[in-house]
């Protein structure tokens, strides 16, 4: 269960593309960061999900030449890469879990035996596709031929554009190029609506409209084809679990728009923000929990009965923001900012596309807490803070906020030097990038460990105060 936020380049302050998503499942699902080197496969080599204990028995031919790419997989399978960039500058994030209509699935069900799922998408698309449009077309063709093993939404970004794909039923899908001057938010529901098969900004399965007409999901006499109405679920579950997140995103960036939260299906699919947006705005969305409102489940004491589901939840195992700045060399122009664990209580660390290697502990971690993996360094802190969120969260949020601002200054300095160095000395530029990026990661980890000790000390002191009389009687 996830939340997706996308911003076109003409809706941002600096002209960058922004694609953000939170990945939610289990707080015990340690995440890794892996750099997959370019390689060659022998003719006939196959990618098989079952070889890695994935969700289905999906298989697909490996490319002869697989490009270098990054991924953030779970520890058990090293699959479900969540997000990554490849050497061609294509970035992918997936998936947003979405749900089709039950009556439509009864006719064309998900292929849960051999269909493609979120386990596979990053490792199929990034080794071979060079552009966002190419990635959409390949994933769409796989859905048509192999079937989708589940309902999902996937975002693709390159130097020129962003595309977003949603499944309908097991073999139906639609994708739309995100307009340049808008943002898009989605929370576990199909959000794409109008579809014109003859327009260049749309792609879809060949019989997308005919299937809906044939089975009574769309009547052409009643108006233009609406993908969401024809294919996706829209019931009471969306009113409290999904719609409030989209409502909140639109409230943040279009505060003048007044709309009842229960009108979820009628929310604008794309919105022009009332001001230009920034990288920090994308992080803000990933950290949102209806902060300080009556629906905030954390700030007034933990409230597990709050009906509205926020973006940032404790079971988020990572959140990320992809930023693409086409005017810069790709090695520094493409960045993934990753917050391990719950984004509200984490630090968004930069991973540049040109980063050549990461420390070994970024590739380890399990469902058991440890003292080495990067994931558990952040998760331990978050778990401790959640024991008294109102007291401890402000300390952590301020420290990570200060850290991110300090990192921005260091990144700007490094990027300026890199642009000059790359003109004459590529090796020196690469070394500068590597050194700076690793230093930034190390600083974030050290801060997380320091905060854990600070909060642990405060918690110990608070418990001691609460047990003053018990302690006094023992002393007496």
């Amino acid at each position: 269960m996830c939340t997706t936020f996308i911003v076109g380049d003409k809706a941002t302050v600096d002209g960058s593309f922004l694609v953000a998503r939170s990945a939610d499942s289990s707080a015990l699902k340690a995440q890794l960061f892996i750099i997959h080197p370019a390689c060659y496969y022998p003719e006939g080599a196959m990618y098989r999900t079952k070889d890695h204990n994935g969700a289905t028995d999906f298989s697909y031919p490996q490319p002869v030449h697989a490009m270098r790419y990054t991924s953030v997989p779970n520890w058990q399978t090293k699959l479900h890469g969540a997000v990554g960039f490849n050497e061609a500058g294509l970035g992918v994030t997936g998936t947003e879990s979405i749900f089709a209509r039950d009556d439509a699935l009864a006719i064309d069900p998900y292929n849960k035996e051999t269909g493609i799922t979120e386990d596979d998408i990053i490792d199929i698309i990034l080794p071979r596709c060079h552009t966002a449009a190419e990635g959409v077309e390949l994933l769409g063709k796989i859905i048509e031929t192999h079937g989708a093993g589940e309902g999902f939404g996937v975002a693709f970004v390159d130097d020129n554009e962003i595309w977003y794909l949603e499944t309908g039923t097991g073999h139906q899908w639609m994708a739309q190029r995100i307009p340049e001057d808008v943002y898009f938010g989605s929370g576990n529901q199909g959000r794409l609506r109008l579809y014109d098969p003859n327009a260049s900004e749309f792609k879809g399965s060949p019989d997308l409209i005919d299937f809906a007409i044939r089975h009574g999901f769309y009547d052409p006499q009643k108006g233009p084809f609406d993908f969401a109405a024809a294919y996706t679920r829209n019931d009471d579950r969306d009113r409290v679990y999904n719609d409030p997140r989209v409502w909140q995103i639109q409230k943040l960036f279009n505060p003048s728009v007044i709309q009842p939260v229960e009108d979820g299906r009628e929310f604008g699919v794309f919105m022009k923000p009332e001001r230009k947006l920034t990288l920090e705005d994308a992080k803000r969305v990933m950290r949102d929990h209806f902060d300080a409102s009556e629906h905030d489940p954390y700030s007034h004491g933990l409230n597990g009965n709050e009906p509205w589901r926020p973006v940032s939840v404790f079971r988020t195992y990572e959140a990320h923001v992809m930023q693409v700045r086409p005017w810069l060399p790709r090695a520094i122009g493409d960045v993934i900012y990753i917050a391990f664990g719950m984004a509200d209580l984490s630090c968004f660390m930069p991973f540049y596309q040109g980063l050549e290697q990461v420390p070994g502990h970024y590739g380890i971690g399990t469902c058991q807490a440890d003292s080495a993996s990067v994931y558990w360094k952040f998760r331990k802190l978050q778990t401790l803070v959640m024991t008294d969120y109102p007291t401890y969260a402000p300390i952590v949020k301020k420290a990570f906020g200060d850290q991110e601002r300090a990192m921005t200054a260091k990144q700007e300095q490094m990027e300026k030097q890199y642009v000059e160095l790359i003109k004459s000395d590529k090796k020196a530029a690469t070394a500068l990038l590597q050194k700076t990026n690793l230093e930034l990661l190390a600083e974030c980890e050290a801060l997380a460990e320091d905060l854990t000790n600070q909060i642990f000390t405060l918690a110990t002191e608070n418990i001691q105060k609460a047990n003053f009389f018990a302690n006094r009687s023992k002393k007496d």
Side-chain angles (χ1 to χ4, degrees), residues 390-412:
T391 299
Y392 305 139
I395 300 169
V396 171
K397 289 158 74 77
K398 181 183 184 304
F400 281 147
D402 291 344
Q403 173 66 15
E404 289 179 10
R405 284 185 287 275
M407 285 196 298
T408 297
K410 292 180 181 180
Q411 289 177 257
E412 290 174 351

Side-chain angles (χ1 to χ4, degrees), residues 171-182:
H171 297 82
Q172 302 293 342
W173 64 278
M174 171 190 167
Q176 185 169 359
R177 184 170 60 231
I178 304 296
E180 298 173 325
D181 58 348
V182 304

